[in-house]
Amino acid sequence: GLLSNSNRSPVVSASSVELAKVLERYCRMMGAIPSLALDIFQCVVQLMEFYVHCVLCLFVQDKHLRLLLEDLDGHVPAGDPRLPGRQEAFLTQRLFPELRRSTARTREMVSSLPLPDACAGYLQVQAPVMGSALLQVTPFSSLTSPSQLCGLAERCVGVESVRSLLTSLQERRDDLVALLPKD
């Protein structure tokens, strides 16, 4: 089948392919307009973080996303019924600190953006629309269906796509740095 050679190269989703094309255009702009290279690069970082956030929201259970983002400031006394949940959140956050920082940063940035009124109809809400509407990503129904192995194939492709794209960007790091101003 189509996935029989997947151990030799990554299985990449159509959205990752499209994102890679957009990133290529951004890199070309960085080379063509050196004075804007740093601004363009910052936009690329935001775009990548938003993409990772979308994959996270689509493929991670809400419970785990809440654990990742839970605010652990404040003291919880011994014997408090919330203590085991806070322990689980603490362990989750220690396991994925960069993902937590990136997700929190993306959610904060996106939620404060005003969206064009034309987006209201598409999102099935009334204008004016804030970026927080984009944070309400609903998982694919097939991902929660036991008859479809809980969407295992889709989850693997989604995560593999992001991993592959991020690995490719890391491999091109020197090229990207060369496009940035030397200040």
Side-chain angles (χ1 to χ4, degrees):
L2 290 174
L3 298 178
S4 63
N5 292 328
S6 65
N7 61 340
R8 294 190 193 136
S9 62
V11 177
V12 180
S13 68
S15 65
S16 292
V17 170
E18 289 303 313
L19 179 61
K21 290 177 184 177
V22 169
L23 293 176
E24 180 182 8
R25 284 187 221 123
Y26 275 122
C27 289
R28 285 186 193 159
M29 282 193 303
M30 288 172 67
I33 314 169
S35 61
L36 295 177
L38 188 56
D39 292 331
I40 294 169
F41 181 76
Q42 289 171 340
C43 291
V44 166
V45 169
Q46 288 177 343
L47 181 63
M48 283 302 302
E49 286 182 344
F50 185 68
Y51 184 75
V52 169
H53 178 269
C54 287
V55 170
L56 179 73
C57 289
L58 286 171
F59 299 110
V60 171
Q61 294 176 354
D62 284 344
K63 170 190 170 191
H64 295 122
L65 183 60
R66 281 193 296 276
L67 289 173
L68 185 68
L69 296 173
E70 184 175 327
D71 183 11
L72 296 177
D73 290 338
H75 177 71
V76 176
D80 188 309
R82 297 176 296 162
L83 197 55
R86 301 239 339 185
Q87 170 70 10
E88 191 175 2
F90 174 76
L91 294 174
T92 300
Q93 291 174 18
R94 288 226 21 207
L95 195 57
F96 305 106
E98 279 299 316
L99 182 60
R100 181 182 194 284
R101 278 191 289 279
S102 171
T103 302
R105 188 172 48 243
T106 299
R107 292 177 74 85
E108 182 181 322
M109 187 262 306
V110 170
S111 64
S112 64
L113 293 174
L115 299 178
D117 288 346
C119 294
Y122 178 74
L123 295 170
Q124 299 175 352
V125 296
Q126 289 196 0
V129 182
M130 295 301 290
S132 56
L134 297 175
L135 299 176
Q136 310 305 317
V137 180
T138 54
F140 296 121
S141 58
S142 65
L143 296 180
T144 56
S145 170
S147 65
Q148 296 185 13
L149 294 175
C150 298
L152 182 60
E154 291 89 347
R155 290 174 194 246
C156 290
V157 170
V159 172
E160 179 71 10
S161 289
V162 169
R163 190 185 68 74
S164 175
L165 196 54
L166 292 174
T167 300
S168 294
L169 284 173
Q170 284 177 328
E171 290 170 359
R172 307 300 306 177
R173 181 183 210 149
D174 292 339
D175 297 330
L176 290 170
V177 169
L179 293 171
L180 295 172
K182 305 291 188 257
D183 300 323

